[in-house]
Every structure is written in C-alpha cells, then in structure tokens.
C-alpha cells in the first residue's frame, strides 16, 4: 500500500513538474494574415479555389463566421497587434502622418504590440510579410518587439522583386534592420514562408516558445502568380461572376457559414452583367480571376509547408494557428496619379505576365465578398467580414463553429491568455491604454464566451456599430444611418432605420461615445486639415 502511495505521489509530482514546465504550458502562437482576401475566398467558406491546408485546419479546428477586421490594411494591422481600436493606437487612417493623436500614421507610445508583450513573457518573436505601419526606421518591426523580421515594409510591391509603383517610392523590402534586395527566382509568398521556417528552426535551440506573425501580401494587387498555379484555374471563370457568386452562396449555406434566411446581395452597381461582355473581355477577366485564385492557392500551399515544419520539429501539437484577412476584397484599380507611368503601362498587360501590374477591381471583389455588399474601405459586411480559423490540436474541438461576433482587437487578449502573460499597464516608461479586446480562449475550449457589448468601426468617414443582432452603418459622405438585423439580413438589404428610430438613436449614442473615447476625428475635418497643410507647403 505504501509503495502504491509512493508511486502515485511520484506520478503526481512528475505530472505537476511537467505541467509547470514553461515549454509545456506556453504554446507557440501563429497568426496568419491574408491581404485583401474576401470572405468567401477559401474552400471552407464556400470558394472553388483549392485551399486544402486551410480547409483541413477548419475541419480539424474551429471556424468563426462573424469575425471582423477594420476594413483596410493599416488600421487592421494596428488593431491586430495592439488589441486597441486603430485610432487609439495612432493609425486611424493610413500611414499619412498628421498631428491628431488618432492619425499619427504610426503606432504610438500608448500601446504595445503582441510581440512586445509576449517577449516580456519569455517568447521568441518573429514576423515575416507585410508591415505597413510606417517605414520610418524607428518603427520597423524589430523596433516594435520582433526579434527577427523579413518582409515588405510598404503596402504593396511586385511579387517577383522590388518594383516601386509610386513616384519617389522608398525602400520596401527589409531583413531585420537592413534593406533587402530580392534575387533571381524570388516570389514573395514563398519567400515569406522560407524566412518564417528559418526563424522557427533557428530559434528552437533557445528552448523558448515562439510567436510568429505571418502577414502574407497575397492576394493584394498586383495580381502576380506562378504559371504552374495559374494553369489550374485558367478557363474556370468563363462561366462568369454572376454564376460564381450564386454557386459560392449555395455552398456557404450548405456548409452553415451563412443562414438559410440570408439572401444573396444583388450584383454591385459598378459591375456589368457577365453576358454583356465581349468574348475578348470575358477571356481577360477569366485570366485575372485565375491569377487571383492562384495567389490564394499558393498561400495555402505555403501554410501547408509551415504546418509540415511544425510536425518535423515536434511542435505541431503545441502550436495554435489563427488565420484571417485584413479586409474584404478590394475594388481598387491601377489608375491615377498614385502610380508611375511605367506601372500604368504595365496595368494594360495580361495578369499572367510577370511584368504586368493589374488589380482585381469591383468585378472580382464582388465575387470574393459573396454574399455581401461593398468592399475594402467601407464598413458594410463586404468590407469588414473575414473568414476566421483557429487550429490547436488537443484543445480545440474538431469541426466546431461559432456565429458570435468577434473582432481583431480580440487577438491580443487571446494570445496573452493562451501564453499566460499579463498585459502591461506601463511599457518603457509609458502608460499603456487598457485592452479593448476580449480573450476568445474560452471559445477555443468549447465554453461559453461573453463576447462584446458592442463593436465599433470607422474609416474615411464610413462608420458602423454592431450590437448583438443589430448593426448601424453609414456611408461617407452621405452620413445617413441605416439599421440592419444581422440575424435575418446580414447582406444588409432591408434598412429598418425608418421603422425603428429609437433603436437608431440608442446605437448612435453608443457610437458617438466610442468615437470621442477612441480619438476619432470626423473625416471631413481630416480632409480639410490635409488641404490646408498642402496649401501651407506651397
């Protein structure tokens, strides 16, 4: 009996020591961010694009169908990294530098990044991919908590090399704290993964858990893909965007991503009927959409490479991977004074030409954002909705799904809870704003999640607030509130504001209080500020 008690005591003590081991209790954390990818662009969210690795993560993990970003590159990245709304972190618009606290165009001293917080908690911290939070050297990733960095400092570039697209554009690629010049055979999506694998493998010798922020530029313009990937999709889109949207919508409903009560939004007013196009126009659009699909496909292949490396290193069971996109599909075109003459000329070439510089535009983005209205930059569902997948073997129940609203501000709180790290009240002598996000760790454990009382959005005067099943949203410059019930009308087709004016007032009051607290400046005021500053420079 004594031997049995002693044996049990040893087993208990051994188990306790193992459970307290930092390597056992602190998981590796990977956040993968796609760029300009729409809500329905991966297979597990209804797409015809082949994404077997992401689909396997969704099947073996957890999907959220109402996860939100901040509708544009820079604001989303600021929120994701800091757990604050973008204006609170200093990036309420883009990287345009202004004096207003919410629009400094760079992360301010009242926030910390996930990397900074986790580094204090004993993590190695790595980033590869797109930064786009100001290219001043004092704001490069290695100055914001990342031990190693490789990627694109700016918002966009050629996938095949360093090719400035703006007049007087500065350096864009960097390795750690030095400029980087891509060599022969470079393809950005592959290169970001190459360095991520390198950082992880080299860091394993330190015996520390790691945080990896892998921010792919795919499928942001320019549409650049490898021929072997394009060939898989060429001809697949000749059926046209109207048919593609219908097919995606049907699959989304069958998968339970979208309720049967939701209707498919009409084709966007900027998009012509497919049958009205000439055969030459149809072939040109089939090519563009095939290249776009190939970019998403290649990103998925690289996520497969990452998962394989984790398995080889014995880290696959101790790593949580979270995947999402920074905004909805992009309507943008390669046109106007923001591009060099050489780039404007390249925009006329076929998308499959590596020397081209083309974009997906309204036509392609309307498919990507099925079944929603609007695009990147707007606060309607097409601009702010992202697929979200969390994969954590042994912790997350395979095939689980949540329809609760969540937001990128939640990733900081979630990461810190999983890591057992406390969010700092001060950092480097500065007082840090309290987190806005709510940890989703309980959701990952199939437990009840408190969620948010309300979630807020603002970008370039476009505004929204989501509270429960209700969403109040406004377009700039009309500045007229529309009210939608997300449970029955997530496509935002039936405006209830005239019928429920009291509800509108209640939610408007919530928005106004948040905007005042979060350093939001009315966009018209911001435009006037920019106009006066430009005039003063003359």
């Amino acid at each position: 009996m004594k031997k049995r008690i002693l044996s049990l005591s040893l087993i208990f003590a051994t188990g306790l020591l193992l459970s307290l081991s930092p390597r056992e209790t602190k998981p590796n954390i990977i956040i993968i961010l796609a760029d300009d990818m729409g809500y329905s662009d991966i297979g597990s969210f209804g797409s015809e694009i082949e994404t077997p690795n992401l689909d396997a993560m969704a099947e073996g993990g957890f999907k959220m169908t109402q996860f939100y970003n901040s509708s544009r590159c820079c604001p989303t990245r600021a929120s994701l990294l800091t757990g604050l709304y973008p204006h609170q972190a200093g990036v309420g618009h883009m990287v345009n530098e202004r004096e207003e606290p919410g629009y400094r165009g760079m992360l301010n001293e009242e926030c910390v990044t996930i990397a900074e917080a986790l580094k204090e908690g004993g993590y190695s911290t790595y980033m590869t991919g797109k930064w786009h939070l100001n290219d001043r050297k004092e704001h490069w990733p290695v100055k914001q908590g990342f031990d190693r960095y490789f990627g694109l400092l700016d918002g966009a570039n050629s996938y095949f090399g360093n090719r400035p697209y703006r007049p007087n554009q500065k350096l864009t690629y960097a390795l750690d704290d030095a400029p980087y010049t891509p060599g022969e055979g470079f393809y950005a999506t592959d290169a970001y993964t190459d360095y991520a694998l390198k950082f992880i493998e080299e860091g394993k010798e330190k015996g520390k858990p790691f945080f990896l922020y892998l921010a792919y530029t795919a499928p942001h313009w320019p549409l650049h893909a490898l021929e072997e990937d394009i060939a898989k999709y060429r001809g697949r889109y000749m059926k046209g965007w109207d048919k593609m949207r219908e097919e995606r919508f049907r699959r989304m409903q069958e998968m339970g991503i979208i309720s049967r009560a939701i209707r498919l939004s009409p084709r966007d007013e900027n998009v012509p009927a497919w049958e009205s196009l000439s055969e030459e126009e149809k072939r040109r659009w089939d090519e563009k959409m095939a290249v776009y699909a190939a970019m998403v496909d290649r990103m998925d292949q690289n996520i497969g490479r990452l998962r394989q490396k984790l398995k080889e290193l014995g880290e696959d069971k101790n790593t949580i991977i979270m995947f999402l996109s920074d905004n909805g599909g992009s309507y943008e075109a390669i046109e106007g004074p923001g591009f060099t003459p050489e780039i404007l000329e390249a925009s006329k070439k076929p998308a499959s030409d590596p020397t081209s510089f083309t974009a997906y535009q309204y036509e392609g983005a309307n498919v990507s954002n099925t079944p929603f209205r609007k695009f990147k930059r707007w606060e309607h569902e097409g601009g702010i909705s992202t697929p979200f997948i969390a994969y954590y073997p042994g912790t997350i129940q395979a095939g689980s799904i949540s329809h609760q609203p969540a937001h990128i501000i939640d990733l900081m709180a979630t990461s810190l809870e999983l890591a057992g790290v406390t969010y700092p009240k001060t950092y480097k002598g500065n007082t840090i704003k309290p987190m806005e996000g709510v940890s989703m760790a309980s959701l990952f454990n199939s437990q009840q999640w408190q969620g948010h009382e309300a979630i807020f959005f603002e970008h370039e005067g476009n505004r929204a607030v989501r509270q429960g099943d209700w969403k109040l949203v406004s377009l700039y410059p009309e500045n007229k509130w529309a009210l939608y019930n997300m449970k029955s009308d997530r496509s935002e087709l039936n405006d209830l504001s005239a019928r429920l004016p009291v509800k509108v007032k209640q939610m408007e009051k919530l928005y106004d209080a948040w905007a005042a607290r979060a350093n939001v400046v009315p966009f018209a005021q911001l435009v006037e500020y920019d106009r006066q500053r430009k005039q003063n420079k003359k």
Side-chain angles (χ1 to χ4, degrees):
M1 183 67 179
K2 286 183 179 180
K3 285 184 179 180
R4 178 174 170 78
I5 292 171
L6 180 61
S7 176
L8 287 171
S9 298
L10 286 171
I11 291 171
F12 176 77
T14 303
L16 183 61
L17 286 171
L18 284 173
S19 70
L20 292 175
S21 166
R23 202 68 190 92
E24 291 293 324
T25 58
K26 291 183 180 291
N28 306 310
I29 299 170
I30 299 176
I31 296 176
I32 303 175
L33 186 69
D35 194 356
D36 281 10
M37 193 194 79
Y39 185 71
S40 68
D41 275 337
I42 59 176
S44 51
F45 277 73
S47 183
E48 72 292 333
I49 300 173
E50 296 171 25
T51 54
N53 293 291
L54 284 168
D55 298 347
M57 286 167 52
E59 185 177 347
F62 174 67
K63 292 191 290 189
M64 296 191 76
T65 65
Q66 300 198 50
F67 201 95
Y68 289 119
N69 49 49
S70 288
S71 81
R72 193 81 177 267
C73 306
C74 307
T76 284
R77 290 159 206 278
S79 271
L80 183 155
L81 283 173
T82 66
L84 303 174
Y85 285 105
H87 312 75
Q88 294 173 308
V91 192
H93 186 214
M94 299 293 282
V95 292
N96 312 58
E97 296 182 18
R98 303 179 177 96
E99 294 178 4
E100 285 85 353
Y103 301 85
R104 295 289 306 283
M106 62 193 82
L107 297 179
N108 59 35
E109 294 179 340
E110 295 177 289
C111 66
V112 293
T113 66
I114 298 177
E116 288 169 328
L118 289 179
K119 193 171 184 177
E120 292 287 307
Y123 273 69
S124 295
T125 55
Y126 313 126
M127 178 183 173
T128 62
K130 176 173 167 177
W131 177 239
H132 208 194
L133 286 172
N134 204 292
D135 59 9
R136 286 176 177 261
K137 198 157 188 178
E138 62 268 29
H139 286 280
W140 286 18
V142 288
K143 302 294 186 182
Q144 304 273 190
F146 290 98
D147 295 323
R148 300 296 310 275
Y149 171 70
F150 169 76
L152 180 68
L153 295 165
D154 205 340
N157 204 335
S158 168
Y159 285 72
F160 297 109
N162 191 13
R163 187 181 182 188
Y165 66 91
R166 296 178 301 176
N168 305 314
Q169 188 176 17
K170 296 183 290 184
L171 156 83
T172 54
Y173 284 108
L175 175 58
D176 294 327
D177 59 354
Y180 177 89
T181 302
E184 188 176 349
F186 178 86
Y187 184 69
T189 306
D190 292 345
Y192 299 148
T193 311
D194 291 342
Y195 274 94
L197 303 186
K198 174 182 168 67
F199 295 161
I200 291 171
E201 193 156 24
E202 291 177 350
K204 185 169 173 60
E205 297 178 4
K206 298 178 182 177
K208 295 164 65 175
F210 69 82
F211 168 61
L212 169 66
Y213 172 37
L214 176 47
Y216 287 113
T217 46
H220 191 290
W221 54 261
L223 299 179
H224 281 166
L226 302 173
E227 177 56 34
E228 63 195 84
D229 297 323
I230 300 170
K232 293 167 63 175
Y233 296 96
R234 193 175 278 118
R236 194 177 297 194
Y237 294 93
M238 286 298 289
K239 65 178 67 176
W241 40 65
D242 296 316
K243 185 70 172 174
M244 299 303 298
R245 291 184 77 232
E246 291 170 4
E247 290 180 352
R248 286 194 181 191
F249 181 60
R250 185 175 64 252
R251 285 192 293 268
M252 295 170 88
Q253 289 191 316
E254 290 170 354
M255 291 175 173
I257 300 296
I258 291 293
S259 163
R260 295 281 183 180
I262 306 301
R263 290 182 293 153
L264 175 64
S265 65
R267 182 191 337 110
D268 187 80
E269 60 187 10
N270 293 288
V271 181
W274 179 258
E275 294 307 318
S276 70
L277 304 183
S278 68
E279 285 303 307
E280 182 181 351
E281 288 172 322
K282 288 178 180 178
R283 284 193 295 273
R284 180 170 60 85
W285 274 108
D286 172 71
E287 184 89 344
K288 274 194 176 188
M289 296 177 79
V291 174
Y292 180 94
M295 295 169 79
V296 175
D297 187 312
R298 175 61 61 158
M299 176 178 65
D300 183 80
Q301 292 176 46
N302 276 280
I303 291 170
R305 291 176 59 206
L306 174 62
R307 292 186 63 203
Q308 181 59 35
K309 175 59 70 175
L310 294 172
K311 189 172 183 180
E312 290 172 7
L313 296 175
E315 296 291 342
D316 52 318
K317 299 290 196 301
N318 191 43
T319 302
I320 180 168
I321 304 175
M322 293 175 276
F323 173 86
L324 68 160
S325 179
D326 68 344
N327 44 248
S330 173
Y331 67 97
E332 295 162 317
I334 309 300
E335 59 188 16
F339 296 93
T340 66
E342 185 265 341
I343 291 296
L344 291 174
E345 190 63 29
S347 71
K348 301 172 187 176
K349 296 181 179 180
S352 57
D353 184 337
T355 66
S356 68
F357 211 95
T358 62
Y360 201 39
Q361 300 175 255
Y362 283 106
E363 288 85 345
N366 200 197
V367 175
S368 289
N369 296 339
T370 302
F372 304 133
R373 294 172 54 203
K374 296 299 180 183
F375 311 90
K376 168 185 180 177
R377 191 173 75 85
W378 285 280
E379 309 302 349
H380 285 69
E381 294 294 285
I384 59 177
S385 298
T386 172
F388 181 88
I389 296 170
Y391 180 72
Y392 194 3
T395 297
I396 293 178
Q397 184 179 345
S400 51
I401 189 168
S402 171
H403 303 292
Q404 283 185 262
H407 191 273
I408 46 171
I409 54 175
D410 300 329
L411 295 184
M412 167 71 91
T414 302
S415 298
L416 295 192
E417 181 171 347
L418 291 169
V421 172
T422 303
Y423 181 78
K425 293 183 179 179
T426 61
Y427 185 75
K428 293 184 177 179
N430 299 304
T431 300
I432 303 302
K433 290 181 182 290
M435 271 190 300
E436 295 280 348
V438 180
S439 173
M440 299 183 293
S442 60
L443 261 181
F444 297 166
N445 287 300
S446 301
Q447 297 172 356
Q448 190 172 0
W449 185 55
Q450 68 183 67
H452 295 267
E453 179 189 350
I455 301 172
F456 303 93
F457 308 85
E458 191 279 337
H459 182 69
E460 294 189 343
N462 300 301
R463 305 169 294 163
V465 54
R466 171 78 191 262
Q467 185 184 39
D469 289 336
W470 294 99
K471 182 180 174 186
L472 194 67
V473 62
S474 168
L475 291 167
Y476 181 85
E478 292 87 348
N479 299 325
K480 184 178 182 297
W481 288 115
L483 179 68
Y484 300 101
N485 185 302
M486 293 287 101
K487 188 172 184 179
S488 59
D489 183 28
R490 198 171 167 207
S491 299
E492 298 168 307
L493 302 178
N494 184 24
D495 178 11
L496 300 173
S497 59
R499 287 173 50 189
L500 299 169
V502 174
K503 187 67 178 175
V504 171
K505 285 296 182 184
Q506 289 173 343
M507 295 184 71
E508 182 180 32
K509 187 176 180 180
L510 281 176
Y511 176 86
D512 289 344
W514 168 80
R517 179 171 64 81
N519 299 325
V520 176
V521 172
F523 192 61
Q525 185 177 322
L526 209 61
V527 170
E528 177 60 20
Y529 170 87
D530 289 345
R531 187 192 68 79
Q532 290 183 6
R533 188 174 63 168
K534 188 175 181 180
Q535 189 175 31
N536 291 338
K537 283 184 178 180
K538 293 180 180 178

